[in-house]
C-alpha cells in the first residue's frame, strides 16, 4: 500500500490503518464485491490520510477511533455511499468534486467538509447526521460543500454546523 501504483480492492472485512501514516500515493481504494455487505476503512489511532481516489461500488464504512483523524484527499466516486462511525474525526479534504451517488451518514464523532470552494464533497442523494447530543457534529469550513441535489436530514442529537458559510 502507498507506493504500489495500483488499486486496493476491499473485498469485505476491514482495512485497519495502524500505525498512522499516509496511504494512497497514488493508490486507489475500491469497495467492489457485491456479495459482501461490510467494508470498512478504519483508523485505530493518531492521524492518517488516504491520498488516492475511492470508488464506492458498494457502501463503505469509515471507522475512526477516539482522538484519531482520518483525512480523505482523493476523489470519492461511484454508485454507492458511505457511513462514518466511531468517536474520532473524518475529514474530506479534497481538491476534487466528489461525485458518488449513494447515501451518506454520520453516526458518531466529527465530520469536516473541507473541499475546494464551490466544489461539493457531499454528493449523494441523501446526507444524514445522527448521534447523541454533543457527540456528533458535521461542519463545513468553506462555502458550498453539500451538492444542491443532496437531501440533508439532521436527527435528534446530530448537529450540522455551517460555521457562517453558505450552502
Amino acid at each position: 500500500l502507498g507506493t504500489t501504483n495500483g488499486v486496493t480492492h476491499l473485498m469485505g472485512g476491514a482495512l485497519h490503518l495502524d500505525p498512522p501514516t499516509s496511504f494512497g500515493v497514488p493508490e486507489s481504494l475500491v469497495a467492489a464485491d457485491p456479495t459482501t455487505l461490510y467494508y470498512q476503512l478504519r483508523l485505530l489511532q493518531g492521524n492518517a490520510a488516504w491520498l488516492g481516489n475511492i470508488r464506492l461500488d458498494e457502501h463503505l464504512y469509515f471507522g475512526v477511533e477516539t482522538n484519531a483523524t482520518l483525512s480523505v484527499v482523493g476523489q470519492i466516486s461511484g454508485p454507492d455511499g458511505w457511513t462514518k462511525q466511531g468517536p474520532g474525526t473524518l475529514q474530506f479534504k479534497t481538491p476534487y468534486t466528489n461525485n458518488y451517488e449513494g447515501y451518506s451518514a454520520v453516526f458518531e464523532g466529527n465530520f469536516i467538509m473541507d473541499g475546494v470552494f464551490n466544489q461539493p464533497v457531499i454528493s449523494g442523494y441523501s446526507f444524514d447526521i445522527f448521534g447523541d447530543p454533543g457527540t456528533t457534529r458535521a461542519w463545513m469550513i468553506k462555502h458550498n460543500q453539500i451538492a444542491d441535489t443532496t437531501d440533508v436530514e439532521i436527527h435528534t442529537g446530530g448537529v450540522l454546523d455551517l460555521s457562517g458559510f453558505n450552502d
Side-chain angles (χ1 to χ4, degrees), residues 1-2 4-17 23-33 38-43 49-63 70-83 90 92 98 100:
L1 286 176
T4 64
N5 291 325
V7 177
T8 297
H9 290 271
L10 192 55
M11 304 298 283
L15 177 59
H16 295 255
L17 307 180
F23 295 90
V25 188
E27 191 82 15
S28 293
L29 178 69
V30 177
D33 182 3
Y38 189 76
Y39 304 88
Q40 187 178 47
L41 181 60
R42 184 171 178 219
L43 179 62
W50 187 272
L51 304 176
N53 295 333
I54 297 177
R55 176 146 176 91
L56 301 174
D57 290 340
E58 301 295 332
H59 201 83
L60 179 65
Y61 292 85
F62 291 98
L70 175 60
S71 296
V72 176
V73 179
Q75 183 182 39
I76 303 173
S77 64
D80 217 314
W82 57 271
T83 297
L90 174 64
F92 287 178
N98 288 338
Y100 65 90

Side-chain angles (χ1 to χ4, degrees), residues 90-128:
L90 174 64
Q91 178 179 28
F92 287 178
K93 184 176 181 63
T94 180
Y96 308 102
T97 298
N98 288 338
N99 59 10
Y100 65 90
E101 300 170 10
Y103 169 80
S104 53
V106 176
F107 276 92
E108 186 180 10
N110 296 307
F111 173 64
I112 301 170
M113 296 170 268
D114 185 13
V116 175
F117 178 72
N118 287 330
Q119 292 184 327
V121 297
I122 302 297
S123 64
Y125 67 85
S126 181
F127 177 51
D128 286 7

